[in-house]
Amino acid sequence: MKRRQWLEWLDDAVNPIVVKEVRQAVHCRFLPTILLAFLGFQLATLSFYLMTKGASGIDLLEGASYGEEVFGVLISLLFFATGFCVPISAAVRMHAERSGQALALFFISTLPPRRVISGKLGSNLIVTLLLFSACMPYLSFTYFLRGIDLPTVFAALAVGFAASAAGILSAVFLASLQVSRFLKLLLALAGLGWLAILFSMSIGSAFALREQGVASLFSGSDQWGPMLVGLVICGALFSMLYVLAVALVTPVTANRALPVRRFIMMVWLVLTLGAVADCFIRGQQDLVVLWALSTYSGLAVAILAAIGARDQLNSRLTNEVPRSRLRRGLVFMLFSGSANGLTWAVVMIALTTAVHHLCNRRLGDDFNEVAGPLLGMCAFILAYALLAVLLQRRWLSRWIRRSQTWVLALTLITAFSLTPVMIGFLLSPTSMAGSASLGLWLVLNPFAVFSDTFDEFAIHVGIGWAVVMSFLARHWFMKQIRNFKPPVASDG
Amino acid sequence: MRLSVEHLKRTFGDVTAIDDVSFAVDAGEIYGFVGPNGAGKTTTMRILATLDEPTAGDALLDGVSLIQQPERARRTIGFMPDHLPTHRDMSVDDYLDFFARAYGLRAAHRRRVVEHIEEFTNLTGIRGKLIHTLSKGMKQRVSLARALVHDPGVLILDEPAAGLDPRARVELRELLVALAGQGKAILISSHILTELSEICHGAVILEHGRMVGAGSIRDLLQEQTQHLIVCLRALSEMALLHRDVVALPGVVAARPVGEGLEIDLDGDENLAAEVLAALVAAGHRVVEFRSRQGDLEDVFMNVTRGEVQ
């Protein structure tokens, strides 16, 4: 009886999406076919290898390292299946459930969005595990063929599993985005590119492990620091993707920005503390530079994401606005909304700049070397974002949806970056020979701030332009601040 | 459980999909939600199912706002959208079990509920079949079963009878009456008004996103059916009969229906008796003459103009 109760508890505890997806996987022909083909191919590879080597009269067990070779073939096949097939299948299913009429069914249950995403991730990880378990006996067998040890096999599998998890979550995140068909296609291509990167990274690591053995990881003491930093960054990126995917499947009526911004602020705080501690204790700027680069780049993306958000609070969000003016001021940047998002990004950029300035003073470095160009780039992005907002809200709302203002901003960046250069080339082709001679023609390019010759000028142009655009957008911005208030209490 | 809709408005850019829609449905009542294509029925239903947010107004379930607390409201709303379940590689039983789990039903209770719902919606015989292999009528049943799995107090059904064969329609009607008997408030949209007339306690009529009529069927008939309708059949030539009928005093209109005429009279049964006497006196051999009750279709035709947005 106790056992039955325990099983029932376990059955209830399992995420419903996991149950559904695994059942679907069992019913469909795709997974069993892939699995059987996978097993068959491994068996054929191993048999072929054993037979050909055996037939050539080579003693497989004496001083050879054939296990290493077979391992290479099998692990490549496994990583391809779990790094491409599983994430693509996850994306296709998610896309089908998130598009068109099927969307209704996505929301009508009481299943919270985080369970939807964790269910999708969990069910696809189970499929990955299934493929791993199908491959495990063959990979373990390579040990007997020499040239590889079991800890290395398991370490390589762990790397592949992590890459597959990252691929699945990325696929689920991309499939959760509700954009036009054309953008979906572009995102799908970008996603495939990302999966290819993950695949090459995982296969590269597996081959490196094969060459050096897992014991090489523990041989020195100087690699632990970078490894820890790498793990923290990977963990933060993975969690970030999860939080973003959850926000994307949260109903639009809710304050979707809050969990995302809260999470980013938390990660920012942890990374800032780490970077500052490293700077003050070790007196080196490597970690600070890495931190600044990732933070400014992330916040530039946040600026573009913010401008597609709503300009007006819905009644549900209005009810969540605090009555106290002080609290209202504090939480303004944590609400869904375009002005709210931009405020948050600008505040975070200011905080990052302040911390970076502090670190630079401690190290005695030139502030403009790293933070200056990054700040200039963010200023450019802000200026383009505000220009896109003004154009979309005033004149282009018929043709471009508010949620796609970021596309307009990117188009403006491309147009303003390329057009002057093309005009310059038409006017004086001979003076455009080298990058240094492009000079002022690149002044509207956000990446001109990284130039060696006129970076300072470009930074000043970027900041100046952002100030001008902020002034022009002041009415749009102030209107949202004025509207950010709780509903008027009724007499009843 | 009472569903009340208060001044609901939804705009998409410059287009107003629904404007100032207000009505209420009480426990045990079935309300028909009718209107021409593009009138705003589905938009309203999606808002009531918490899938969309209104530009203004609110909808309350026993005083709890669907807009402010959609997560709470979902526990008491069963929504059947106008499209059929598309999940591939899933049996009927797995499908219902998944939604039962998603609504938080536990272990043995979940099993009992799913079995009961399958029995109630007559799905027991096909519980092991994959959904995508089912007929449209069966998929409609599965969709209804899914909407019922968490025993909601309010049911919102968008075109549940669309594409069903006559037998399936009759069975659906019986199911809805049984559900109303269990105390559920039901809002159902359909283009088949004669069927709605038979089971609905009331109706909400939309056109151009605006409400042009709402209330109990009896009230609507009293408000909107201005004329007495009489069905007439005689062994005379139709053209001659029609000419004589429209010439009589008190006859507003006459239109051929089947082998006879349907006549709108601007008066009561006394006028009907006078019309009959006049026709007999004119030499028409009348074989059928009876007054007909107006129905939802008459109300609908009276209050709408047939224009779409």
Side-chain angles (χ1 to χ4, degrees):
Chain A
M1 187 63 189
K2 261 195 166 177
R3 187 167 163 261
R4 196 182 153 190
Q5 280 176 340
W6 188 84
L7 282 173
E8 279 186 350
W9 175 85
L10 192 69
D11 187 34
D12 287 337
V14 177
N15 188 316
I17 300 269
V18 173
V19 178
K20 174 183 101 60
E21 300 262 322
V22 172
R23 279 177 176 167
Q24 278 180 297
V26 170
H27 280 300
C28 81
R29 287 183 199 150
F30 176 72
L31 185 68
T33 311
I34 286 275
L35 210 56
L36 283 172
F38 192 59
L39 283 167
F41 186 83
Q42 287 180 101
L43 195 63
T45 307
L46 208 57
S47 310
F48 180 76
Y49 203 86
L50 287 172
M51 280 193 293
T52 51
K53 293 293 175 190
S56 61
I58 299 168
D59 187 348
L60 288 165
L61 301 177
E62 277 304 317
S65 58
Y66 305 116
E68 199 179 305
E69 290 172 34
V70 180
F71 172 82
V73 176
L74 295 185
I75 205 98
S76 305
L77 181 71
L78 175 68
F79 284 9
F80 180 81
T82 56
F84 278 100
C85 300
V86 178
I88 289 171
S89 147
V92 169
R93 276 191 192 276
M94 186 71 176
H95 172 69
E97 287 179 20
R98 284 278 293 164
S99 59
Q101 303 216 306
L103 184 63
L105 290 177
F106 213 80
F107 287 128
I108 45 186
S109 76
T110 49
L111 213 57
R114 66 183 161 71
R115 290 203 86 192
V116 173
I117 297 299
S118 52
K120 290 278 173 191
L121 180 64
S123 57
N124 286 291
L125 284 179
I126 287 175
V127 174
T128 303
L129 276 177
L130 203 64
L131 289 168
F132 269 67
S133 62
C135 202
M136 204 81 91
Y138 298 92
L139 283 172
S140 305
F141 187 72
T142 58
Y143 168 69
F144 297 108
L145 298 177
R146 306 291 170 90
I148 194 148
D149 56 283
L150 280 178
T152 301
V153 171
F154 292 124
L157 287 176
V159 169
F161 189 76
S164 178
I168 291 165
L169 194 55
S170 310
V172 168
F173 166 72
L174 287 179
S176 303
L177 284 166
Q178 286 188 296
V179 289
S180 65
R181 201 171 284 183
F182 177 69
L183 280 175
K184 268 249 146 111
L185 190 71
L186 289 181
L187 286 173
L189 288 173
L192 277 176
W194 171 237
L195 290 182
I197 291 172
L198 281 174
F199 174 71
S200 17
M201 279 164 66
S202 58
I203 209 84
S205 307
F207 276 69
L209 279 170
R210 188 188 68 168
E211 301 302 323
Q212 295 161 18
V214 75
S216 65
L217 289 176
F218 306 97
S219 58
S221 59
D222 53 338
Q223 74 266 45
W224 289 107
M227 206 184 282
L228 186 68
V229 171
L231 276 177
V232 168
I233 290 174
C234 288
L237 282 174
F238 190 83
S239 315
M240 179 75 196
L241 266 181
Y242 176 80
V243 172
L244 284 174
V246 170
L248 284 174
V249 299
T250 301
V252 284
T253 51
N255 186 7
R256 303 208 280 191
L258 178 65
V260 177
R261 289 182 197 151
R262 207 167 42 192
F263 174 80
I264 294 176
M265 285 162 81
M266 204 176 71
V267 170
W268 179 86
L269 194 65
V270 171
L271 294 180
T272 304
L273 286 174
V276 170
D278 185 62
C279 159
F280 277 77
I281 295 167
R282 284 205 310 148
Q284 289 185 4
Q285 67 154 4
D286 311 352
L287 217 53
V288 176
V289 170
L290 189 67
W291 163 82
L293 196 67
S294 53
T295 308
Y296 281 115
S297 312
L299 290 170
V301 175
I303 289 173
L304 292 175
I307 54 176
R310 63 174 82 234
D311 285 352
Q312 212 170 359
L313 292 184
N314 61 15
S315 58
R316 183 180 175 185
L317 288 181
T318 308
N319 273 286
E320 290 174 16
V321 175
R323 298 208 168 267
S324 141
R325 271 177 185 269
L326 180 68
R327 282 195 62 205
R328 219 186 301 166
L330 288 172
V331 301
F332 176 75
M333 62 177 190
L334 295 178
F335 268 66
S336 288
S338 45
N340 312 62
L342 282 180
T343 309
W344 175 79
V346 170
V347 168
M348 292 300 290
I349 287 170
L351 284 173
T352 306
T353 308
V355 173
H356 199 272
H357 192 61
L358 196 73
C359 291
N360 275 87
R361 280 186 65 181
R362 169 78 173 85
L363 297 170
D365 287 345
D366 182 11
F367 176 76
N368 282 342
E369 263 185 28
V370 179
L374 289 169
L375 188 63
M377 182 193 70
C378 285
F380 264 114
I381 302 286
L382 179 66
Y384 280 113
L386 287 172
L387 180 61
V389 164
L390 291 181
L391 289 174
Q392 194 277 333
R393 299 324 192 250
R394 271 193 203 165
W395 293 293
L396 303 175
S397 56
R398 268 171 183 256
W399 298 281
I400 300 170
R401 278 186 290 170
R402 191 203 61 228
S403 59
Q404 291 180 357
T405 313
W406 63 275
V407 180
L408 178 63
L410 285 180
T411 312
L412 288 171
I413 291 173
T414 313
F416 278 59
S417 303
L418 294 182
T419 313
V421 178
M422 285 158 76
I423 291 172
F425 186 78
L426 286 174
L427 292 177
S428 173
T430 48
S431 68
M432 308 290 282
S435 61
S437 58
L438 288 174
L440 289 175
W441 296 108
L442 281 174
V443 80
L444 295 177
N445 187 329
F447 301 104
V449 292
F450 300 107
S451 152
D452 293 334
T453 47
F454 55 96
D455 53 339
E456 265 190 48
F457 179 69
I459 292 168
H460 286 118
V461 169
I463 293 174
W465 192 20
V467 171
V468 170
M469 287 314 301
S470 303
F471 178 75
L472 292 176
R474 69 191 185 284
H475 292 303
W476 167 81
F477 188 80
M478 290 310 291
K479 192 179 170 192
Q480 289 189 65
I481 295 214
R482 278 195 300 273
N483 288 339
F484 189 74
K485 56 188 178 191
V488 181
S490 62
D491 294 337
Chain B
M1 182 145 285
R2 179 184 168 86
L3 168 69
S4 54
V5 176
E6 295 173 357
H7 310 291
L8 221 51
K9 181 179 182 176
R10 178 70 168 108
T11 55
F12 296 99
D14 298 336
V15 179
T16 303
I18 51 167
D19 190 12
D20 199 23
V21 173
S22 302
F23 62 90
V25 186
D26 279 310
E29 283 187 343
I30 303 177
Y31 257 63
F33 203 47
V34 294
N37 289 331
K41 302 187 295 291
T42 298
T43 303
T44 310
M45 289 187 140
R46 283 179 61 82
I47 291 172
L48 297 181
T50 73
L51 298 173
D52 197 1
E53 56 176 332
T55 311
D58 205 347
L60 307 168
L61 271 176
D62 276 350
V64 176
S65 167
L66 293 175
I67 318 301
Q68 307 299 335
Q69 300 181 56
E71 289 84 5
R72 192 174 154 193
R74 278 177 201 166
R75 293 188 182 281
T76 46
I77 290 176
F79 177 56
M80 182 178 166
D82 60 349
H83 58 274
L84 302 169
T86 51
H87 289 74
R88 287 191 69 83
D89 309 313
M90 246 187 144
S91 70
V92 171
D93 203 45
D94 288 347
Y95 183 74
L96 296 177
D97 180 72
F98 163 61
F99 278 97
R101 285 171 188 268
Y103 279 108
L105 272 62
R106 298 196 158 261
H109 175 59
R110 181 178 68 242
R111 199 58 258 151
R112 275 198 304 276
V113 165
V114 170
E115 276 172 15
H116 172 70
I117 295 289
E118 284 170 348
E119 205 174 310
F120 181 71
T121 49
N122 206 6
L123 291 170
T124 312
I126 56 159
R127 58 192 293 186
K129 283 198 171 182
L130 294 179
I131 289 175
H132 70 271
T133 63
L134 298 178
S135 68
K136 190 169 184 181
M138 282 301 162
K139 281 183 184 169
Q140 292 275 40
R141 274 174 194 276
V142 175
S143 194
L144 179 64
R146 186 201 46 71
L148 292 171
V149 88
H150 57 300
D151 193 24
V154 174
L155 273 177
I156 297 165
L157 314 175
D158 196 0
E159 301 279 353
L164 294 189
D165 62 41
R167 185 178 183 81
R169 278 184 191 166
V170 172
E171 286 172 355
L172 178 70
R173 282 210 304 265
E174 286 168 358
L175 276 178
L176 293 179
V177 171
L179 287 166
Q182 290 173 10
K184 296 188 192 303
I186 302 173
L187 184 67
I188 170 173
S189 81
S190 177
H191 285 300
I192 307 161
L193 303 179
T194 45
E195 288 191 353
L196 284 183
S197 289
E198 287 176 33
I199 57 168
C200 286
H201 300 92
V204 179
I205 305 172
L206 286 187
E207 189 174 41
H208 287 227
R210 295 190 72 87
M211 214 171 66
V212 289
S216 70
I217 297 285
R218 184 182 294 176
D219 290 347
L220 282 170
L221 287 173
Q222 277 179 357
E223 277 173 31
Q224 302 296 339
T225 315
Q226 294 137 355
H227 307 119
L228 178 67
I229 303 165
V230 171
C231 297
L232 164 71
R233 192 161 66 88
L235 302 177
S236 318
E237 195 193 327
M238 183 67 91
L240 193 67
L241 180 68
H242 187 268
R243 191 197 64 194
D244 288 350
V245 166
V246 293
L248 291 170
V251 174
V252 179
R255 55 197 166 268
V257 173
E259 293 176 345
L261 290 174
E262 202 168 77
I263 310 166
D264 291 344
L265 296 178
D266 191 12
D268 56 13
E269 288 184 335
N270 288 317
L271 177 65
E274 285 169 20
V275 166
L276 175 61
L279 287 171
V280 172
H284 290 289
R285 294 160 70 198
V286 176
V287 291
E288 185 184 346
F289 191 90
R290 61 178 170 83
S291 64
R292 181 176 72 76
Q293 279 286 326
D295 59 17
L296 194 56
E297 202 165 71
D298 298 311
V299 176
F300 181 75
M301 294 308 285
N302 277 338
V303 298
T304 60
R305 292 174 187 174
E307 295 163 4
V308 290
Q309 291 195 99

